Coordinates of all heavy atoms in Angstrom, one line a residue:
M1 N 107.3 90.0 112.7 CA 108.0 90.9 113.6 C 107.6 90.6 115.0 O 106.5 90.4 115.4 CB 107.5 92.4 113.3 CG 108.1 93.4 114.2 SD 107.8 95.0 113.5 CE 108.7 94.9 111.9
T2 N 108.7 90.4 115.8 CA 108.5 90.0 117.2 C 108.1 91.1 118.1 O 108.8 92.1 118.1 CB 109.8 89.3 117.7 OG1 110.3 88.4 116.8 CG2 109.6 88.6 119.0
P3 N 107.0 91.0 118.8 CA 106.5 92.1 119.7 C 107.3 92.1 121.0 O 106.8 91.7 122.0 CB 105.0 91.8 119.9 CG 104.9 90.3 119.7 CD 106.0 89.9 118.8
T4 N 108.5 92.5 120.9 CA 109.4 92.5 122.1 C 109.4 93.9 122.7 O 110.2 94.2 123.6 CB 110.8 92.1 121.8 OG1 111.3 92.9 120.7 CG2 110.8 90.6 121.3
T5 N 108.6 94.8 122.2 CA 108.7 96.2 122.6 C 108.0 96.6 123.9 O 107.1 95.9 124.3 CB 108.1 97.1 121.5 OG1 108.3 98.4 121.8 CG2 106.7 96.8 121.3
T6 N 108.5 97.6 124.5 CA 107.8 98.2 125.6 C 107.2 99.5 125.2 O 106.7 100.2 126.0 CB 108.8 98.5 126.8 OG1 109.9 99.3 126.3 CG2 109.4 97.2 127.3
C7 N 107.2 99.8 123.9 CA 106.7 101.1 123.4 C 105.2 101.1 123.6 O 104.5 100.1 123.2 CB 107.0 101.3 121.9 SG 106.3 102.7 121.2
Q8 N 104.6 102.1 124.2 CA 103.2 102.2 124.5 C 102.5 102.8 123.2 O 101.3 102.5 123.0 CB 102.9 103.1 125.6 CG 103.5 102.6 127.0 CD 103.0 101.3 127.3 OE1 101.8 101.1 127.4 NE2 103.9 100.3 127.6
A9 N 103.1 103.5 122.4 CA 102.5 104.1 121.3 C 102.2 103.1 120.1 O 101.2 103.1 119.5 CB 103.3 105.3 120.7
W10 N 103.3 102.3 119.9 CA 103.2 101.3 118.8 C 103.6 100.0 119.2 O 104.6 99.4 118.7 CB 104.0 101.8 117.6 CG 103.5 103.0 116.9 CD1 103.9 104.3 117.1 CD2 102.3 103.1 116.1 NE1 103.1 105.2 116.4 CE2 102.1 104.5 115.8 CE3 101.5 102.2 115.6 CZ2 101.1 104.9 114.9 CZ3 100.5 102.6 114.7 CH2 100.3 103.9 114.4
P11 N 102.9 99.4 120.2 CA 103.3 98.1 120.7 C 103.3 97.0 119.6 O 102.4 97.0 118.7 CB 102.2 97.8 121.7 CG 101.0 98.6 121.4 CD 101.6 99.8 120.7
G12 N 104.3 96.2 119.6 CA 104.4 95.2 118.6 C 105.0 95.7 117.2 O 105.2 94.9 116.3
L13 N 105.2 97.0 117.1 CA 105.8 97.5 115.9 C 107.1 98.2 116.2 O 108.1 97.9 115.6 CB 104.8 98.5 115.3 CG 103.7 97.9 114.5 CD1 102.5 98.9 114.3 CD2 104.1 97.3 113.2
C14 N 107.1 99.2 117.1 CA 108.3 99.9 117.5 C 109.1 99.1 118.5 O 108.6 98.5 119.4 CB 107.9 101.2 118.2 SG 109.2 102.2 118.9
D15 N 110.4 99.0 118.3 CA 111.3 98.3 119.2 C 112.2 99.1 120.0 O 113.1 98.7 120.6 CB 112.1 97.2 118.4 CG 113.1 97.9 117.5 OD1 113.1 99.1 117.3 OD2 114.1 97.1 117.1
D16 N 111.9 100.4 120.1 CA 112.7 101.4 120.9 C 112.3 101.2 122.4 O 111.1 101.3 122.7 CB 112.5 102.8 120.5 CG 113.5 103.8 121.1 OD1 113.9 103.5 122.2 OD2 113.8 104.7 120.4
T17 N 113.3 100.9 123.2 CA 113.0 100.6 124.6 C 113.2 101.8 125.5 O 113.0 101.7 126.8 CB 113.8 99.4 125.2 OG1 115.2 99.7 124.9 CG2 113.4 98.1 124.4
D18 N 113.7 102.9 125.0 CA 113.9 104.1 125.8 C 112.5 104.7 126.1 O 111.7 105.0 125.2 CB 114.7 105.2 124.9 CG 114.9 106.5 125.7 OD1 114.2 106.7 126.7 OD2 115.8 107.2 125.3
P19 N 112.2 104.8 127.4 CA 110.9 105.3 127.8 C 110.5 106.6 127.3 O 109.3 107.0 127.2 CB 110.9 105.2 129.3 CG 112.2 104.9 129.8 CD 113.1 104.5 128.6
K20 N 111.5 107.5 127.0 CA 111.2 108.9 126.5 C 111.2 109.0 125.0 O 111.1 110.1 124.5 CB 112.1 109.8 127.2 CG 112.0 109.9 128.7 CD 113.0 110.9 129.3 CE 112.8 111.0 130.8 NZ 113.9 111.7 131.4
H21 N 111.3 107.9 124.3 CA 111.5 108.1 122.8 C 110.3 108.7 122.2 O 109.2 108.4 122.6 CB 112.0 106.8 122.2 CG 110.9 105.8 122.1 ND1 110.5 104.9 123.1 CD2 110.1 105.4 121.0 CE1 109.5 104.1 122.7 NE2 109.2 104.4 121.4
R22 N 110.5 109.5 121.1 CA 109.4 110.0 120.4 C 109.3 109.6 118.9 O 108.4 109.8 118.2 CB 109.5 111.6 120.4 CG 109.2 112.1 121.9 CD 108.9 113.6 121.8 NE 107.7 113.9 121.1 CZ 107.6 114.6 120.0 NH1 108.7 115.1 119.5 NH2 106.5 114.8 119.3
E23 N 110.5 109.1 118.4 CA 110.5 108.6 117.1 C 110.5 107.1 117.1 O 111.3 106.4 117.7 CB 111.8 109.1 116.4 CG 111.8 110.6 116.2 CD 113.0 111.1 115.4 OE1 113.8 110.3 115.0 OE2 112.9 112.3 115.1
H24 N 109.4 106.5 116.5 CA 109.1 105.1 116.6 C 109.6 104.4 115.4 O 109.2 104.7 114.3 CB 107.7 104.9 116.9 CG 107.1 105.6 118.0 ND1 107.2 105.3 119.3 CD2 106.5 106.8 118.0 CE1 106.7 106.2 120.1 NE2 106.2 107.2 119.3
T25 N 110.5 103.4 115.6 CA 111.1 102.7 114.5 C 111.2 101.2 114.8 O 111.3 100.8 116.0 CB 112.5 103.2 114.1 OG1 113.3 103.1 115.2 CG2 112.4 104.7 113.7
N26 N 111.3 100.4 113.7 CA 111.8 99.1 113.8 C 112.5 98.7 112.6 O 111.9 98.7 111.5 CB 110.6 98.1 114.1 CG 111.0 96.7 114.4 OD1 112.0 96.2 113.9 ND2 110.3 96.1 115.4
H27 N 113.8 98.4 112.8 CA 114.6 98.1 111.6 C 115.2 96.6 111.8 O 116.2 96.3 111.3 CB 115.8 99.0 111.5 CG 115.4 100.5 111.3 ND1 114.6 100.9 110.3 CD2 115.6 101.5 112.1 CE1 114.4 102.2 110.4 NE2 115.0 102.6 111.5
Q28 N 114.4 95.8 112.5 CA 114.9 94.5 112.8 C 114.9 93.6 111.6 O 115.5 92.5 111.6 CB 113.9 93.8 113.9 CG 114.1 94.5 115.3 CD 115.5 94.5 115.8 OE1 116.2 93.4 115.7 NE2 116.0 95.6 116.2
L29 N 114.1 94.0 110.5 CA 114.0 93.2 109.3 C 114.8 93.8 108.2 O 114.5 93.7 107.0 CB 112.6 93.0 108.9 CG 111.7 92.2 109.9 CD1 110.3 92.1 109.5 CD2 112.3 90.8 110.1
S30 N 116.0 94.4 108.6 CA 116.9 94.9 107.6 C 117.5 93.7 106.8 O 117.6 92.6 107.4 CB 117.9 95.8 108.2 OG 118.9 94.9 108.9
G31 N 117.9 93.9 105.6 CA 118.5 92.9 104.9 C 119.8 92.4 105.5 O 120.1 91.2 105.4
Q32 N 120.5 93.2 106.2 CA 121.7 92.8 106.9 C 121.4 91.8 107.9 O 122.2 90.9 108.2 CB 122.4 94.0 107.5 CG 123.1 94.9 106.4 CD 123.9 96.1 107.0 OE1 123.5 96.5 108.1 NE2 124.9 96.5 106.3
K33 N 120.3 92.0 108.6 CA 119.9 91.1 109.7 C 119.2 89.8 109.2 O 119.4 88.7 109.8 CB 119.0 91.8 110.7 CG 119.8 92.9 111.5 CD 118.9 93.6 112.5 CE 119.7 94.7 113.1 NZ 118.9 95.5 114.1
T34 N 118.4 89.9 108.2 CA 117.6 88.8 107.7 C 118.3 88.0 106.6 O 118.0 86.8 106.4 CB 116.3 89.2 107.2 OG1 116.5 90.1 106.0 CG2 115.4 89.9 108.2
G35 N 119.2 88.6 105.9 CA 119.8 88.0 104.7 C 118.9 88.1 103.5 O 119.3 87.5 102.5
W36 N 117.8 88.8 103.6 CA 116.9 89.0 102.5 C 117.5 90.0 101.5 O 118.3 90.9 102.0 CB 115.5 89.5 102.9 CG 114.8 88.5 103.8 CD1 115.0 87.2 104.1 CD2 113.6 88.9 104.7 NE1 114.1 86.7 105.0 CE2 113.2 87.7 105.3 CE3 113.0 90.0 104.9 CZ2 112.2 87.7 106.2 CZ3 111.9 90.0 105.8 CH2 111.5 88.9 106.4
P37 N 117.1 90.0 100.3 CA 117.6 91.0 99.3 C 116.9 92.4 99.5 O 117.3 93.3 98.8 CB 117.3 90.4 98.0 CG 116.2 89.5 98.2 CD 116.3 88.9 99.6
V38 N 115.9 92.5 100.4 CA 115.3 93.7 100.6 C 115.2 93.9 102.2 O 115.2 92.9 102.9 CB 113.9 93.8 100.1 CG1 113.9 93.8 98.5 CG2 113.0 92.7 100.6
S39 N 115.1 95.2 102.6 CA 114.9 95.5 104.0 C 113.4 96.0 104.1 O 112.9 96.7 103.2 CB 115.8 96.6 104.4 OG 117.1 96.2 104.4
V40 N 112.7 95.6 105.1 CA 111.4 96.1 105.4 C 111.4 96.6 106.8 O 112.1 96.1 107.7 CB 110.3 95.1 105.1 CG1 110.3 94.7 103.6 CG2 110.4 93.9 106.0
G41 N 110.5 97.5 107.1 CA 110.4 98.0 108.5 C 109.3 99.0 108.7 O 108.5 99.3 107.8
F42 N 109.3 99.6 109.9 CA 108.3 100.5 110.4 C 109.0 101.8 110.9 O 110.0 101.7 111.6 CB 107.5 99.9 111.5 CG 106.6 100.8 112.2 CD1 105.3 101.0 111.7 CD2 107.0 101.4 113.4 CE1 104.5 101.9 112.4 CE2 106.1 102.3 114.1 CZ 104.8 102.5 113.6
V43 N 108.3 103.0 110.5 CA 108.8 104.3 111.0 C 107.7 105.2 111.3 O 106.7 105.2 110.5 CB 109.7 104.9 109.9 CG1 110.1 106.3 110.4 CG2 110.9 104.1 109.6
E44 N 107.7 105.8 112.4 CA 106.7 106.9 112.7 C 107.5 107.9 113.5 O 107.9 107.7 114.6 CB 105.5 106.3 113.5 CG 104.3 107.3 113.5 CD 104.4 108.2 114.8 OE1 104.2 107.6 115.9 OE2 104.5 109.4 114.7
L45 N 107.7 109.1 112.9 CA 108.5 110.1 113.5 C 107.8 111.1 114.3 O 107.8 112.3 114.0 CB 109.4 110.8 112.4 CG 110.2 109.8 111.5 CD1 110.9 110.6 110.4 CD2 111.2 109.1 112.4
G46 N 107.2 110.7 115.4 CA 106.7 111.6 116.3 C 105.4 112.3 115.8 O 105.4 113.3 115.2
D47 N 104.2 111.7 116.1 CA 102.9 112.2 115.7 C 102.7 112.4 114.2 O 101.8 113.2 113.8 CB 102.7 113.6 116.4 CG 102.8 113.4 118.0 OD1 102.4 112.3 118.4 OD2 103.2 114.4 118.6
Q48 N 103.5 111.7 113.4 CA 103.2 111.7 112.0 C 102.5 110.4 111.6 O 102.3 109.5 112.4 CB 104.5 111.9 111.2 CG 105.2 113.2 111.5 CD 106.4 113.4 110.7 OE1 106.6 112.7 109.7 NE2 107.3 114.3 111.1
E49 N 102.1 110.3 110.4 CA 101.5 109.1 109.9 C 102.5 108.0 109.9 O 103.6 108.2 109.6 CB 101.0 109.3 108.5 CG 99.7 110.1 108.4 CD 98.5 109.5 109.2 OE1 98.2 108.4 108.9 OE2 98.0 110.2 110.0
P50 N 102.1 106.8 110.4 CA 103.0 105.7 110.4 C 103.3 105.3 109.0 O 102.5 105.3 108.1 CB 102.3 104.6 111.2 CG 100.8 105.0 111.0 CD 100.8 106.5 110.9
L51 N 104.5 104.9 108.8 CA 105.0 104.4 107.5 C 105.6 103.0 107.6 O 106.4 102.8 108.5 CB 106.0 105.4 106.9 CG 105.5 106.8 106.6 CD1 106.6 107.7 106.2 CD2 104.4 106.8 105.5
L52 N 105.4 102.3 106.6 CA 106.2 101.0 106.4 C 107.1 101.3 105.3 O 106.9 102.2 104.4 CB 105.2 99.8 106.0 CG 104.1 99.6 107.0 CD1 103.2 98.4 106.5 CD2 104.5 99.4 108.4
Y53 N 108.2 100.6 105.2 CA 109.1 100.8 104.1 C 109.6 99.5 103.5 O 109.7 98.4 104.3 CB 110.2 101.7 104.4 CG 111.2 101.2 105.4 CD1 112.3 100.3 105.0 CD2 111.1 101.4 106.8 CE1 113.2 99.8 106.0 CE2 112.0 100.9 107.7 CZ 113.0 100.1 107.3 OH 113.9 99.6 108.2
V54 N 110.0 99.5 102.3 CA 110.8 98.4 101.7 C 111.9 99.1 101.0 O 111.7 100.1 100.3 CB 109.9 97.6 100.7 CG1 109.3 98.4 99.6 CG2 110.8 96.4 100.2
D55 N 113.1 98.6 101.2 CA 114.3 99.2 100.6 C 115.2 98.1 100.0 O 115.6 97.2 100.7 CB 115.1 99.9 101.7 CG 116.4 100.6 101.2 OD1 116.5 100.8 100.0 OD2 117.2 100.8 102.1
A56 N 115.4 98.3 98.7 CA 116.3 97.4 98.1 C 117.6 98.1 97.7 O 117.8 98.5 96.6 CB 115.7 96.8 96.8
G57 N 118.4 98.3 98.7 CA 119.6 99.1 98.6 C 120.7 98.5 97.9 O 121.6 99.1 97.4
L58 N 120.7 97.2 97.8 CA 121.9 96.5 97.3 C 121.5 95.8 95.9 O 120.4 95.3 95.8 CB 122.3 95.4 98.2 CG 122.7 95.8 99.6 CD1 122.9 94.6 100.5 CD2 123.9 96.6 99.6
A59 N 122.5 95.8 95.0 CA 122.3 95.0 93.8 C 122.3 93.5 94.3 O 123.2 93.2 95.1 CB 123.4 95.3 92.9
A60 N 121.4 92.8 93.8 CA 121.3 91.4 94.4 C 121.2 90.4 93.2 O 120.3 89.7 93.0 CB 120.0 91.3 95.2
D61 N 122.3 90.4 92.5 CA 122.4 89.4 91.5 C 122.5 88.0 92.1 O 123.1 87.8 93.1 CB 123.7 89.6 90.7 CG 123.8 90.9 89.9 OD1 122.7 91.5 89.7 OD2 124.9 91.4 89.6
F62 N 121.9 87.0 91.4 CA 122.0 85.7 92.0 C 121.9 84.7 90.8 O 121.4 85.0 89.8 CB 120.9 85.4 93.0 CG 119.5 85.6 92.5 CD1 118.8 84.6 92.0 CD2 118.9 86.9 92.7 CE1 117.5 84.8 91.6 CE2 117.6 87.1 92.2 CZ 116.9 86.1 91.7
A63 N 122.4 83.5 91.1 CA 122.4 82.5 90.1 C 120.9 82.0 89.9 O 120.2 81.9 90.8 CB 123.3 81.3 90.5
P64 N 120.6 81.6 88.6 CA 119.2 81.2 88.4 C 118.8 80.0 89.3 O 117.6 80.0 89.7 CB 119.3 80.7 86.9 CG 120.4 81.5 86.3 CD 121.4 81.7 87.4
E65 N 119.7 79.2 89.7 CA 119.3 78.0 90.6 C 118.9 78.5 92.0 O 118.3 77.8 92.8 CB 120.4 76.9 90.6 CG 121.7 77.4 91.1 CD 122.6 77.8 89.9 OE1 122.1 78.2 88.8 OE2 123.9 77.6 90.0
D66 N 119.3 79.8 92.3 CA 119.0 80.3 93.6 C 117.6 81.0 93.6 O 117.2 81.5 94.7 CB 120.1 81.3 94.1 CG 121.4 80.6 94.5 OD1 121.3 79.4 94.8 OD2 122.4 81.3 94.4
A67 N 116.9 81.0 92.5 CA 115.7 81.7 92.4 C 114.7 81.2 93.4 O 114.0 82.1 94.1 CB 115.1 81.6 91.0
P68 N 114.5 79.9 93.7 CA 113.5 79.5 94.7 C 113.8 80.1 96.1 O 112.9 80.5 96.8 CB 113.6 78.0 94.7 CG 114.1 77.7 93.3 CD 115.1 78.8 93.0
K69 N 115.1 80.2 96.4 CA 115.5 80.7 97.7 C 115.2 82.2 97.8 O 114.6 82.7 98.8 CB 117.0 80.4 98.0 CG 117.5 80.9 99.4 CD 119.0 80.8 99.5 CE 119.6 82.1 98.9 NZ 121.1 82.1 99.1
V70 N 115.6 82.9 96.8 CA 115.4 84.4 96.7 C 113.9 84.7 96.7 O 113.4 85.6 97.4 CB 116.1 85.0 95.5 CG1 115.8 86.5 95.4 CG2 117.6 84.8 95.7
A71 N 113.1 83.9 95.9 CA 111.7 84.1 95.9 C 111.1 83.9 97.2 O 110.2 84.7 97.7 CB 111.0 83.2 94.8
A72 N 111.5 82.9 98.0 CA 111.0 82.6 99.3 C 111.3 83.8 100.2 O 110.5 84.2 101.1 CB 111.6 81.3 99.8
Q73 N 112.5 84.4 100.1 CA 112.9 85.5 100.9 C 112.0 86.7 100.6 O 111.6 87.4 101.5 CB 114.4 85.9 100.7 CG 115.3 84.8 101.2 CD 116.8 85.1 100.8 OE1 117.0 85.7 99.8 NE2 117.7 84.6 101.6
L74 N 111.7 86.9 99.3 CA 110.9 88.1 99.0 C 109.5 87.8 99.5 O 108.8 88.8 99.9 CB 110.9 88.3 97.5 CG 112.2 88.7 96.9 CD1 112.2 88.7 95.4 CD2 112.6 90.1 97.4
R75 N 109.0 86.6 99.5 CA 107.6 86.3 100.0 C 107.6 86.5 101.5 O 106.6 87.1 102.0 CB 107.2 84.9 99.7 CG 106.9 84.7 98.2 CD 106.3 83.2 98.0 NE 106.3 83.0 96.6 CZ 107.2 82.3 95.9 NH1 108.2 81.7 96.6 NH2 107.2 82.1 94.6
A76 N 108.7 86.2 102.2 CA 108.8 86.4 103.6 C 108.7 87.9 103.9 O 108.1 88.3 104.8 CB 110.0 85.8 104.2
A77 N 109.5 88.7 103.1 CA 109.4 90.1 103.3 C 108.0 90.7 103.0 O 107.6 91.5 103.8 CB 110.5 90.8 102.4
A78 N 107.4 90.2 102.0 CA 106.0 90.6 101.7 C 105.0 90.3 102.8 O 104.2 91.1 103.2 CB 105.6 90.0 100.3
D79 N 105.2 89.1 103.3 CA 104.4 88.6 104.5 C 104.6 89.6 105.7 O 103.7 89.9 106.4 CB 104.7 87.2 104.9 CG 104.2 86.2 103.9 OD1 103.4 86.5 103.0 OD2 104.6 85.0 104.0
A80 N 105.9 89.9 105.9 CA 106.2 90.8 107.0 C 105.6 92.2 106.9 O 105.0 92.7 107.9 CB 107.7 90.9 107.1
I81 N 105.6 92.7 105.7 CA 105.0 94.1 105.6 C 103.4 94.0 105.7 O 102.8 94.9 106.3 CB 105.3 94.8 104.2 CG1 105.0 94.1 103.0 CG2 106.8 95.2 104.3 CD1 105.3 94.9 101.7
E82 N 102.8 92.9 105.3 CA 101.4 92.7 105.5 C 101.1 92.5 107.0 O 100.1 93.1 107.5 CB 100.8 91.6 104.6 CG 100.8 91.9 103.2 CD 100.2 90.8 102.3 OE1 100.3 89.6 102.7 OE2 99.7 91.1 101.3
Q83 N 101.9 91.8 107.6 CA 101.8 91.7 109.1 C 101.9 93.0 109.8 O 101.1 93.3 110.7 CB 102.8 90.7 109.6 CG 102.6 90.2 111.0 CD 103.7 89.2 111.4 OE1 104.4 88.6 110.6 NE2 103.8 88.9 112.7
M84 N 102.8 93.8 109.4 CA 103.0 95.2 110.0 C 101.7 96.0 109.7 O 101.3 96.7 110.6 CB 104.2 95.8 109.5 CG 105.5 95.3 110.1 SD 107.0 96.2 109.6 CE 107.4 95.5 108.0
Q85 N 101.2 95.9 108.5 CA 100.0 96.7 108.1 C 98.9 96.3 109.0 O 98.1 97.2 109.5 CB 99.7 96.4 106.7 CG 98.5 97.3 106.2 CD 97.2 96.8 106.4 OE1 97.0 95.6 106.5 NE2 96.2 97.6 106.6
R86 N 98.7 95.0 109.3 CA 97.6 94.6 110.2 C 97.8 95.1 111.6 O 96.9 95.5 112.3 CB 97.5 93.0 110.2 CG 96.9 92.4 108.9 CD 96.6 91.0 109.0 NE 97.8 90.1 109.2 CZ 98.5 89.6 108.1 NH1 98.1 89.8 106.9 NH2 99.5 88.9 108.3
R87 N 99.1 95.1 112.0 CA 99.4 95.6 113.4 C 99.1 97.1 113.5 O 98.6 97.5 114.5 CB 100.8 95.2 113.7 CG 101.2 95.5 115.1 CD 100.5 94.6 116.1 NE 100.7 95.1 117.5 CZ 99.8 95.0 118.5 NH1 98.7 94.5 118.3 NH2 100.1 95.4 119.7
V88 N 99.5 97.8 112.5 CA 99.2 99.3 112.5 C 97.7 99.5 112.6 O 97.2 100.3 113.4 CB 99.7 99.9 111.2 CG1 99.1 101.4 111.0 CG2 101.3 100.0 111.2
A89 N 96.9 98.7 111.8 CA 95.5 98.9 111.9 C 94.9 98.5 113.2 O 94.0 99.2 113.7 CB 94.8 98.0 110.8
E90 N 95.5 97.5 113.9 CA 95.0 97.1 115.2 C 95.3 98.2 116.2 O 94.4 98.5 117.0 CB 95.8 95.8 115.7 CG 95.3 94.6 115.0 CD 96.2 93.4 115.3 OE1 97.1 93.5 116.2 OE2 96.1 92.4 114.6
V91 N 96.5 98.8 116.1 CA 96.8 99.9 117.1 C 95.9 101.1 116.8 O 95.4 101.7 117.8 CB 98.3 100.2 117.0 CG1 98.7 101.5 117.8 CG2 99.2 99.1 117.4
Q92 N 95.7 101.4 115.6 CA 94.9 102.6 115.3 C 93.4 102.4 115.7 O 92.8 103.3 116.1 CB 95.0 102.9 113.8 CG 96.4 103.5 113.4 CD 96.5 103.8 111.9 OE1 96.0 103.0 111.1 NE2 97.2 104.8 111.6
A93 N 92.9 101.1 115.5 CA 91.6 100.8 115.9 C 91.4 100.9 117.4 O 90.3 101.4 117.9 CB 91.2 99.4 115.4
R94 N 92.4 100.6 118.2 CA 92.3 100.7 119.6 C 92.3 102.1 120.1 O 91.7 102.4 121.1 CB 93.5 100.0 120.2 CG 93.1 98.8 121.1 CD 94.2 98.2 121.9 NE 95.5 98.8 121.9 CZ 96.6 98.2 121.7 NH1 96.7 96.9 121.7 NH2 97.8 98.8 121.7
R95 N 92.9 103.0 119.3 CA 92.9 104.4 119.7 C 91.6 105.1 119.3 O 91.3 106.1 119.9 CB 94.0 105.2 118.9 CG 95.4 104.7 119.3 CD 96.4 105.4 118.5 NE 97.8 105.0 118.8 CZ 98.8 105.3 118.1 NH1 98.7 106.1 117.1 NH2 100.0 104.9 118.4
A96 N 90.9 104.6 118.3 CA 89.7 105.3 117.8 C 88.6 105.3 118.8 O 88.5 104.4 119.7 CB 89.3 104.6 116.5
Ligands
ZN1 ZN1 108.0 103.6 120.0

């Protein structure tokens, strides 16, 4: 996840650039944007616990020979959610 945010609450996680925003989200890793069979992302809706999500909203049939490509995409999605988890922990540790 690219830390392009100006969000002060969740830097590196939230990508909302409106200075007054209260709901923190990042949907940059949606399947539509990445081409992955799953979407992953970050949501924190105003002073609630931060959440990561994985969403497999689409049926994703694929030919057996595409398995290495799909497996690599799923690993990339898994890496992304672990990266977000580490970032959440970093932000929370800085607040503590
Ligand atoms: Zn934010």
Side-chain angles (χ1 to χ4, degrees):
M1 180 164 298
T2 311
T4 55
T5 183
T6 57
C7 177
Q8 299 300 306
W10 292 101
L13 285 161
C14 172
D15 70 344
D16 193 327
T17 56
D18 181 339
K20 294 179 181 172
H21 74 278
R22 291 196 63 242
E23 298 189 349
H24 307 278
T25 61
N26 190 319
H27 304 298
Q28 294 302 312
L29 296 178
S30 71
Q32 286 182 332
K33 293 181 181 176
T34 61
W36 298 344
V38 295
S39 297
V40 297
F42 171 82
V43 176
E44 193 266 295
L45 300 178
D47 301 327
Q48 296 181 19
E49 287 299 306
L51 298 173
L52 306 180
Y53 68 84
V54 59
D55 179 20
L58 301 172
D61 297 339
F62 57 90
E65 58 266 29
D66 289 337
K69 183 187 86 178
V70 173
Q73 291 170 332
L74 292 172
R75 287 187 195 98
D79 289 347
I81 58 175
E82 288 183 331
Q83 190 177 346
M84 285 186 278
Q85 187 274 328
R86 287 191 292 272
R87 186 69 189 143
V88 167
E90 287 170 12
V91 171
Q92 290 177 323
R94 245 191 1 225
R95 292 177 186 172

